[in-house]
Amino acid sequence: MSSSTFVPQSAHFIVNKDLGRSAFTSQSLPFPVPKCKKSISKKVVSVMAPQQSERKPASTGSVKTAMTMTEKILARASEKPHVVPGENVWVNVDVLMTHDVCGPGSFGIFKREFGENAKVWDREKIVIIPDHYIFTTDERANRNVDILRDFCMEQNIKYFYDIKDLGNFRANPDYKGVCHVALAQEGHCRPGEVLLGTDSHTCTAGAFGQFASGIGNTDAGFVLGTGKSLLKVPPTLRFVLDGEMPSYLLAKDLILQIIGEISVSGATYKSMEFVGTTVESLTMEERMTLCNMVIEAGGKNGVVPADSTTFKYLEDKTSVPYEPVYSDEQARFPSEYRFDVSKLEPLVAKPHSPDRRALARECKDVKIDRVYIGSCTGGKTEDFMAAAKVFLASGQKVKVPTFLVPATQKVWLDIYSLPVAGSGGKTCSQIFEEAGCDTPASPSCGACLGGPKDTYARLNEPKVCVSTTNRNFPGRMGHKEGQIYLASPYTAAASALTGFVSDPREFLQ
């Protein structure tokens, strides 16, 4: 483990300057690469007045170019002394993840381009996690998992989290569950590294101070064969969250606030860096929730500086050495947004967009048909602990069907084994049973995006659902006419108790 310690983040705001530079570099590639220039708008959209930054000369006499965290990671991965936003660089990938939805297509492209008998670039840097369309009788979905298994056996992939017995997930010791949470729990997320995955919410791993982003099947096929990917360096937006976190708020409220502020296109192909005293106080699971939804703002990646919380989480999860990086004090940020978290209230995102932010209390007349607590952004252990806290405080039973889907097998075990604070030793599962919730289901993310029709908790009818998932577009959880309100586990649990979209402060004092 690295012995690096946490470096406090600067509170400086950097003015948005013209960042146009040469966008491509040939770097001894086997093919010519054209050169072009691209400029980023000088328009300042910050909520603060910009301040002029000063460049200081390096000790060698040459000008040192200050960089953000994301720029530093990509510079290191591309073996360059520095990079600038808009520059295209070939990066060495530390980890490639794929799953049962995109894996078969990625493997097909790999074999088409590199040959039927080709070997992957590094069998120990590829992580394959079936998690989407698992617990279904759909033959095509099941065939996708078979294809993963065949490829992993052929390539001797070290990290394949297989599932063979679909009738009892616990009979599969290798099966983990939702890829984004499993990656963290199994020690594949490390500060300073580049992690790419064939899933848009791969950005979740940015919580560990690494560059993590989703890619398509074609790019994944190329990475499988070469271990490299061509990436454009994104400019970085900085979000400073300060203040004591109110007891009725969770990280989901914070990211809904941010997306509502900048819109679903406000961070298009930009990095979103989260700093501030509030962020420093968040647990790793809450930081994962924060980074999980940067893609809902159009972001290329989200990132949180690694600190003692990060290092503590990783202590028993990885023996791979890593080296954190931090934004330079004089790094350039086109915009900086500041939030006093102590003044925020519980939020929801109304149908059909994550940026349709509204106060939960203002939606109290919205009658709902069901509640879903689960997925990569709402199915972690702390999410279920939060929901159990609301149910425990109320002492009431839910008024609508309430579905519980843990993200991973470890989370499922936590639900049945860890006592909830202030409950006298009761576990989440006991509290959920007393509240009349459905029995916690097999770990997966099938219902989150609307899997096969026999997927547990799928929205098969045009009903209104309060969900801890990350998207509420038409058809996202199944039926295209369904209405989804995105919310934190606190708000979801409170809504289950009333049958209406509800502010959790009704139950949390």
Side-chain angles (χ1 to χ4, degrees):
M1 167 167 289
S2 169
S3 61
S4 301
T5 55
F6 172 59
V7 178
Q9 295 299 301
S10 166
H12 288 261
F13 173 77
I14 309 303
V15 66
N16 175 21
K17 285 183 174 288
D18 183 3
L19 303 179
R21 302 287 175 91
S22 176
F24 293 84
T25 178
S26 58
Q27 285 192 337
S28 68
L29 293 174
F31 48 88
V33 179
K35 293 184 177 180
C36 66
K37 291 186 177 181
K38 183 175 182 180
S39 297
I40 295 177
S41 170
K42 296 183 180 180
K43 179 181 179 182
V44 176
V45 293
S46 170
V47 296
M48 295 184 62
Q51 299 173 351
Q52 182 69 39
S53 62
E54 178 184 354
R55 280 190 174 183
K56 298 180 180 179
S59 58
T60 59
S62 61
V63 176
K64 177 186 176 183
T65 301
M67 292 187 288
T68 66
M69 286 180 64
T70 292
E71 291 160 14
K72 283 187 176 182
I73 295 171
L74 295 181
R76 177 195 292 170
S78 60
E79 302 177 9
K80 297 168 72 71
H82 68 268
V83 297
V84 295
E87 182 178 359
N88 287 263
V89 293
W90 285 99
V91 302
N92 297 310
V93 178
D94 294 293
V95 177
L96 173 70
M97 184 281 298
T98 190
H99 48 48
D100 51 303
V101 176
C102 297
S106 299
F107 302 157
I109 291 169
F110 164 71
K111 293 201 169 191
R112 184 189 71 196
E113 299 299 327
F114 294 93
E116 283 293 325
N117 298 318
K119 294 297 182 182
V120 296
W121 105 96
D122 192 326
R123 72 177 191 86
E124 295 189 9
K125 292 186 176 182
I126 298 167
V127 183
I128 299 179
I129 308 179
D131 66 343
H132 278 62
Y133 302 153
I134 305 300
F135 303 106
T136 173
T137 58
D138 187 291
E139 294 182 357
R140 293 181 179 179
N142 295 336
R143 175 57 182 152
N144 271 19
V145 180
D146 294 338
I147 293 173
L148 298 189
R149 187 177 302 113
D150 293 343
F151 184 83
C152 290
M153 291 180 63
E154 170 195 304
Q155 298 286 336
N156 194 25
I157 301 298
K158 183 175 182 179
Y159 299 109
F160 172 43
Y161 299 112
D162 196 8
I163 181 168
K164 295 180 180 178
D165 186 345
L166 302 183
N168 176 16
F169 73 90
R170 297 189 67 193
N172 304 268
D174 292 333
Y175 178 68
K176 301 305 174 185
V178 180
C179 59
H180 312 298
V181 181
L183 280 169
Q185 292 179 347
E186 299 305 313
H188 299 296
C189 301
R190 293 176 289 267
E193 293 191 350
V194 172
L195 186 155
L196 301 180
T198 58
D199 189 294
S200 59
H201 290 106
T202 301
C203 52
T204 306
F208 291 84
Q210 66 181 153
F211 179 87
S213 190
I215 58 174
N217 291 4
T218 302
D219 286 337
F222 186 81
V223 175
L224 284 169
T226 66
K228 296 180 181 294
S229 184
L230 181 64
L231 296 175
K232 183 171 72 173
V233 179
T236 299
L237 304 181
R238 177 173 268 191
F239 297 84
V240 184
L241 288 76
D242 286 319
E244 183 177 353
M245 187 92 146
S247 61
Y248 46 79
L249 288 187
L250 293 171
K252 187 61 166 287
D253 297 294
L254 305 184
I255 192 61
L256 290 180
Q257 175 73 32
I258 290 171
I259 296 172
E261 189 87 17
I262 68 175
S263 86
V264 290
S265 61
T268 299
Y269 211 94
K270 294 180 176 65
S271 174
M272 297 173 67
E273 182 175 318
F274 302 101
V275 298
T277 58
T278 305
V279 177
E280 292 167 11
S281 71
L282 296 179
T283 65
M284 285 311 303
E285 290 196 356
E286 286 285 81
R287 295 178 189 187
M288 289 167 67
T289 296
L290 200 60
C291 289
N292 175 270
M293 288 186 67
V294 302
I295 187 64
E296 272 67 59
K300 180 64 175 176
N301 71 300
V303 67
V304 174
D307 58 11
S308 58
T309 300
T310 318
F311 307 144
K312 181 68 176 177
Y313 182 94
L314 292 174
E315 276 183 0
D316 62 347
K317 292 181 174 60
T318 183
S319 59
V320 178
Y322 56 82
E323 184 180 352
V325 298
Y326 304 92
S327 292
D328 290 324
E329 187 171 296
Q330 301 300 324
R332 293 180 175 184
F333 300 94
S335 301
E336 181 176 271
Y337 297 83
R338 289 182 173 271
F339 299 88
D340 182 349
V341 173
S342 66
K343 297 180 180 179
L344 301 183
E345 298 185 63
L347 298 171
V348 296
K350 299 187 293 184
H352 294 285
S353 181
D355 62 356
R356 294 200 66 208
R357 177 188 62 190
L359 295 175
R361 60 181 172 81
E362 293 179 346
C363 300
K364 62 182 180 180
D365 294 328
V366 177
K367 189 177 186 305
I368 64 174
D369 302 302
R370 45 152 46 200
V371 165
Y372 180 89
I373 301 175
S375 89
C376 53
T377 188
K380 302 180 291 299
T381 298
E382 292 176 6
D383 297 320
F384 288 105
M385 286 286 185
K389 181 179 178 181
V390 174
F391 292 137
L392 182 69
S394 74
Q396 304 173 19
K397 288 188 175 292
V398 298
K399 289 187 168 56
V400 295
T402 302
F403 303 99
L404 310 167
V405 183
T408 64
Q409 185 156 188
K410 181 185 183 304
V411 175
W412 189 92
L413 291 171
D414 288 346
I415 289 174
Y416 280 89
S417 61
L418 297 182
V420 176
S423 68
K426 291 182 180 179
T427 63
C428 286
S429 61
Q430 291 174 308
I431 294 172
F432 293 151
E433 182 178 3
E434 292 174 358
C437 302
D438 264 31
T439 302
S442 302
S444 82
C445 54
C448 173
L449 72 164
K453 286 192 175 182
D454 62 347
T455 299
Y456 174 80
R458 184 184 190 272
L459 197 61
N460 288 327
E461 300 175 11
K463 294 186 175 182
V464 180
C465 177
V466 171
S467 175
T468 61
T469 53
N470 41 38
R471 286 183 181 155
N472 57 352
F473 307 132
R476 175 62 184 181
M477 292 188 71
H479 201 287
K480 65 181 180 180
E481 295 179 9
Q483 297 184 54
I484 302 168
Y485 286 79
L486 302 179
S488 76
Y490 278 162
T491 300
S495 301
L497 291 167
T498 64
F500 293 84
V501 175
S502 298
D503 190 318
R505 287 175 290 187
E506 295 181 30
F507 305 101
L508 298 173
Q509 302 300 323

